[in-house]
Amino acid sequence: MKLRNGILGLALGLLMGGVSYSAFADDASTFVYADAGEPSTIDPAKANVNWEFTVTRNIYDRLVDFDLDDPSKLLPALATEWKQDGKVWTFKLRDGVTFHDGTAFDANDVKATLDRLLKIGQGQSYLVDDIASVTVVDPKTVKIETKAPTVFLASNLSRIEMLSDEDIAKHKDDLGQAWFNENANGTGPYEFVSWTRGTQIELKRNDKWWGKFPEKPFDRVLDRFVTDGANRARGLEGGEFDLANFVPLDEALRIGTSSGFHLVEGNNLWAWPAIYLNMDLAPTNNKDFREALVKAFDYNAMVQSFQGKAEVGRGPVPSWFPGSPEKEEVEIKTDLDGAKAALAKSGLANAKMKCSVPAGFPEFRFAATVLQSSAQQLGVTVEIEEQPFVEAITAIKSDRSNCFVLGNANLSPSDATKFFSAHYLKGGFYNSGKFFDQTLQDLVAKLPTISDAAERGKLLKQAADIVVNSHYIIWTARPKTVVPEPDRIGGYRIDPAEYINARFWEMYSK
Amino acid sequence: MSISTQPTRRTIARPKGVLLPLALLVLVILAAFTLLPGLIAPHDPIALAMADRLKPPSLTHIFGTDEGGRDVFSRIVYGTRYSLGVAIAIVFASALFGVIYGAVSGMARQGIDNLMMRIVDLFFGFPALVLALAVAASIGRGLDSVALSLAIIWWPGYARLVRGEVLRLRERPHVEAARALGVSEMTILRRHIIPFVVQEVNVRVTTDIGYALVAVTALSFLGLGANSPTPEWGLLIRDSRPYFGSAWWYLVFPGTMIMLTATAFSLIGDALASRRAA
Amino acid sequence: MVIAFLLKRLVWGLVVLIAVAVITFFLSRVVPADPAAFLAGQNASEETVQRIRVEHGLDRPLPEQFASYMIGLAKGDLGESIRTRRSVSTDLKQYLPATLELLIVSFVLYLAVSFSLAVLAARRPGGAVDGAIRLVTMVGTGIPVFWLGMTLQFFFFYKLHWLPLGARFPIRETAPPVVSGFLLVDSLLAGSLSAFLASLKHLTLPAATIVVNLLAVGTRLSRAALIQEQSRLYVRTARGKGLSPNRILFKHILRNALSPILTATTMQFGYMISWVILVEVIFDWPGIGLYAYQSFQVFDYSPVIALAIVSTAGFVIINLVMDLLYPVIDPRVQSVGS
Amino acid sequence: MILSVRDFAIGFQREGQNLVAVDGISFDVAEGETFVIIGESGSGKSLTGMSIAGLQPPTAFVSGSIRFKDREMLKRPDAELRKLRGPEIGLIYQDPLSSLNPVWPVGDQIAETLTAHGLASRAEARKRAVEMLERVRIPDPRRVASAYPHEISGGMRQRAMIAMALAAGPSLLIADEPTTALDVTIKAQMLELLAELKRELSLTIILITHDMGVVAEVADRILVLYAGRIAEVGPADAIMLQPSHPYTAALMTSAMISQTPAKQDLNAIVGGAPGLGAFPAGCRFHPRCPRAQDDCKVIEPPRRKFGSVELACHHPIEAAMPLETARS
Amino acid sequence: MALLELDAVSKTFSQRRGGRAVQAVAGVSLTVGKGETLGLVGESGCGKSTLARLALKLVDVTDGRVRFDGVDVTGFASRRMLPIRRRLQAVFQDPLASLNARMTIAEVMREPFDTHGVKLGAELETRIRELLSFVGLENIDIRKLPGQFSGGQLQRIAIARALALEPEIIVADEPTSALDPSIQAQIVNLMLQIQRKRGISYLIISHDLDVIGHVADRIAVMYLGIIIEQGTADAIMQRPLHPYTQALLSAAPTLAARRQVGWKRIMLTGDPPNPADVPSGCRFHPRCHLARDICREKVPPLRATPGTSQMVACHLAPDETAQAGAEVGRARRGLAVAS
């Protein structure tokens, strides 16, 4: 009896539901992006990692934009004009911009956003932590005063998303942290639709966006969370995804050169396997020992593992970065004899050391493997431990490990000091090996205040030399980023600071 | 109710066609891999040879090479010691502990027996992999912690098996006869109970080695086990993941090796079981 | 009698759950990692990190953290996930149906397949069919579950394009409105047969992976139970009554073999819960396994403990149900639990 | 003749060897008689009994012929044999507890004999089951019908087994050691019941046993099996009171404990019965036979008529020997 | 003095998980004298095997005392029992099961010596051979395992082992019932021969009245945990006084019965009752054809009957039972029933 009722109900449901719901709407204008992870938050004040930026960058706008091909060149965005006058920067805002909820964008939004960001102190706040105060001059003018004169403020603001002051006010109890974690209301090209936990975030195109879409843009974007790199590659190749990030290099090259795909190549900072050596823990606290490691390292193996799509780094600031002194740096080469001599000088023959590698990045693991193999030639034993990121960085910071492999994460398009702040300054989060040099500290503090580019270049070189000569870091390789893009779509450009971060508003179908 | 008066000849289990010999052959090969990897492996399992990076199977590299140009076959050969060695260590350690625990519980007074079995029940209530994950994560990564965490979830099976057998055997007439003879409890356990238990345990151990191997490689695959560049089989599969589409051999051979090994042990365990039944 | 038994089992289940909570709590806190660092982000200052630690109570002494966790637990609060920045209960509500759907489908499939194979094998023990089934299932169990998953993906998605790579529903399509959280049910409720079939298609590979891995043990145990029952004297009696082999199998042997099979099956469910983590990772299946695994990657404790508790609770419940089922199946088991 | 067995042989293949368990035996069973097959374990008595109902182990090979009511039973497809078991041939066994399905009520199992053969509807069969239980003298048959086997006593179980075997009205009942596992007092009840049922239902009974007391009580004719061959077959009185075959004689005398003065040695047969595959040449009994001579070791004794019995012995006990003197 | 004495022993088994406790043995007193054979007979479930275990101290009594050669051994721990065990040996029902299947016959045979610290050194094998030939196994291969011998041979081996330490008494629990009829007689004879040669005492437990009647000097009949009749073998076999004993004797089919014409056996109705559910009054009353009110109400004590050597626990014996008993005894011996 019960069974019969159940079947009846089911049949009824089929009949009635059949009218109201259809799963298979033919939707060609959907863009599926396979992202390497699921955001922990989509609050621009907290966004930390690529898959969070994927969402924030497309929903929100920034005051200024920059040219992906020449990061030193800034472009107008929400601000149409800006100028620096010592410690004070003035921004003129664009007219007629509205948030997705219909409210207008004005100077109050800028002030509320920056105040909130600095108060929370997470995410990208380090880019603007030299701001002293923000003042609304009039609805279309905002004045920002910094603690010391800084030439980089505008370029750093090219990474700061603008929220609505109404939203912030509405949720002011916790600075809107709970609300912004999973809700979004920006002025940007795409509008937040929904977040299906564990699966995807859906966006839809904002018709009223002030900017310009290409022809045949995508109306609907699905940001899929596909944590497994092989699955991202497989899905991209099989046509389930339109684009994927962090595709393993070998797979990217193979897919990109197969029919129906083309390769997009570019510079970036992210996949930059640098080996940080612990300055506090023996044996890597010995400078000669570090030198031995740096000289013994088989750079060629790294370049080969990147199938030639890489060069050897010479310092902390990549050569293509605005103002980089890299070209003037000495090329780093494998020098086994020099390494042996340095090791002899250190008196640490047969030393043992441990290396922590954040799991999930084959390039990082391989860099450690090369170090191990190179060190073996010196008689030095390297034990590799591959761990989740948090565990790995905790290990070196608490002196349980001698080295740590990491990429770079300077989000600013032209402010080279940000390379230093996180990695080489005291207390910097990524200063995992606890490097400290007072001269460098002073130099980095001084750099933004100098408006003469040539002068800045000189000081930058000086800072770079300090890092290089300390042998704190082994720059194993500086690979190019290679992204396979299906021929059916176009518009993808590599953001040098963020590995691969699709600007959905530039993407189009062919 | 008459008992059989016909002489029951001990019959050795008939090998199931060619499978058992094949399984034994796999075992011999594995033993050779474990004991003499240097003689069998044509290449160094660790040293990098970038020129040979990700080469498909050929005469020089019968299983192809990995992303460091290392010979996959040689890595598998050297890896036997890690993967199978750890699996065997886990099973032996848990069997040893489980047998002692189960025997003590089975011979103990009811109250103690109850308490001891409750503890075992507790372990059975846990989802195994979750516990292993938590243990391995908290005592740090590495094959030794994988071994420890798996042994922790593995021994209760033996304890329960052995206790059950001991309880069953304790009631058997030959044990009662020995008791009537005045044989001490320790001797009864040693001479009249354990030999029968061991038979059961042998079968279980053999089959379990295969399962333990799969479990070890699973934890390695999740990143809790061996560290690069240890050529542990599960880690090989983990490492091969980024080259899934470009280097099938890198994925296929270590997996096949695990499968062959586990199946061989299962087959042999089966043969042992049917021999016991005969 | 039954009530007393139920009560006893429930109390024991509670003991197990508390033990699991205690053990996983302490195990997870021993991990030398700082989840606050994850929250704070790349360039946060040490002060920010410290502030987050305080906010999440991570700075407090372990016994204190434990006490507040257990108090929360007693109120049904599983804590807060650092990674998702939501309460774990909310997350579980989201992820559990996916896992349950996968588990149930796999389990039913596993029962059906292993039982059919066992019947085939037990028909002529030691025969060619028996041998072949044994070998195939044995190989199935010898295949590491993650490797099998990848291999299936390789063939059925990559090479043949028959089945999807992973996930629960076609990406570009709109999933049916959530009612039960089970896509199979929801798509039927929404009246879409195509959605139902699509969800089924997505279930195929993950479920097959789990089933193939468990098959050997299940088939072997069912086969052993069937063979053992076949040699029982009541079977001779049934033959003496002139019953057909099918009638003997289905009316006599089956019901007798059911309890050992059920026992074995219950044990298998424990393994299934374990394998589900691996399978969800491989197939991007948005269930609690993947959820816990990803949380585990950033040392987000609460979801891991929650997974342990939830799966243990599942296991306890299944055991309980089985205990209640035995007397129904086998009248000899009168007082449950004896 | 309700049953006629000719040159029946049954054996097994073991390790490439053919092991013959029953080696070319012939006998007839007349309608309405109680025919007893006696033998020790390994003599092949149960195999013979089961083969009559077509229930020999599937791995066994058979030869010869077994004709039941003019139907050849050997080499007949199982589907046809099945139609005979129940309506034509009933079977009961040694261990009633394990011979009943533990998970079905007793009544349902009895009724199944009828429904499976399409002899009655489900309800009808259930009614008949209760009647059958009444027939086998079970007090309160209704309660027993709905009880599970473990809920009733050993004696009741064996009665229920008998009810089940007879439910479809067979003319032949094969009883394989039906009393062996039972207590003395129950055994007596069962023998009495069988005798009564035989009269009431005009059954032919083939009883397989090694219990001489049971034989003495019920047998009309006796077949003595030794190591797969017939030692002696004939009327019960002749065989029990004046055994001609040394084996039969020895069996009888060794079972006559109550006739032996207390504490005196019993008349025992030396040695033990040979197992399958270890049957001696010549007369299979010769290693244990006190009368054995050289010819017994090599020549297999042919079967011959000897008084009212047929026997296979080179040197039978000639004189009609009263039991007391058969003791040496 | 009695060699083995059970003084009002009881054994209650408590069942796990709140099941009802079962009193398997309820206040049984028995003695076995030197050189004497006591036969204990009863149906399955009457507690006779439990009694054997109590006598062997394999289980502890719930109540009562066990004495060996005058020594109260009731509370003896296993170490203190060791010297007693040397004098008190056991033989069990299933010889194959009661020998360790993984020990060779040689190992089986040396176990008593090892256990009791008897060091024979080189003589060990000779001694084992002697023992085996004593039980009629001259030329067996003692390096074989029990599985390679027949049941009869194994029971001989078990007996040889029991004899190894020259015990004074052997407790034999159903020593013949697992064997084929032709082998049973052999074992009975062997046990009788051993007694004649060694003057050993036996406590033989069996359900087979024929065997018990043949080998025992005295017989005790057990029903539902108690002794209901006890006396010399002759008396019990020829003139049983308890209706149950009579029924037992009468029910057992024998060869001799075939020759009795017009003889009607005493048929018991019903099944042996469940030890967990003991009837009131006389335990036998629900199955007794003579039962009356007193039987239902009053427990009959085990008492001596005037003019006989028997003890019987029946309200109606001997007056109402003596004649029937004599008839049963005569019928059993194959003598014509006086009608």
Side-chain angles (χ1 to χ4, degrees), chain D residues 271-288:
Chain D
L276 186 59
F279 296 155
C283 173
R284 289 181 178 176
F285 185 56
H286 85 259
R288 305 173 75 189

Side-chain angles (χ1 to χ4, degrees), chain B residues 100-115:
Chain B
I100 294 170
Y101 189 96
V104 169
S105 180
M107 297 298 279
R109 272 183 294 119
Q110 200 181 322
I112 296 170
D113 177 34
N114 267 348
L115 183 72

Side-chain angles (χ1 to χ4, degrees), chain A residues 450-481:
Chain A
I450 297 163
S451 45
D452 176 32
E455 174 71 11
R456 273 209 310 273
K458 240 168 77 188
L459 291 183
L460 202 56
K461 164 100 171 77
Q462 222 177 320
D465 284 344
I466 289 169
V467 176
V468 173
N469 293 332
S470 69
H471 303 297
Y472 166 48
I473 280 185
I474 306 170
W475 284 285
T476 67
R478 188 165 287 148
K480 273 202 152 58
T481 293

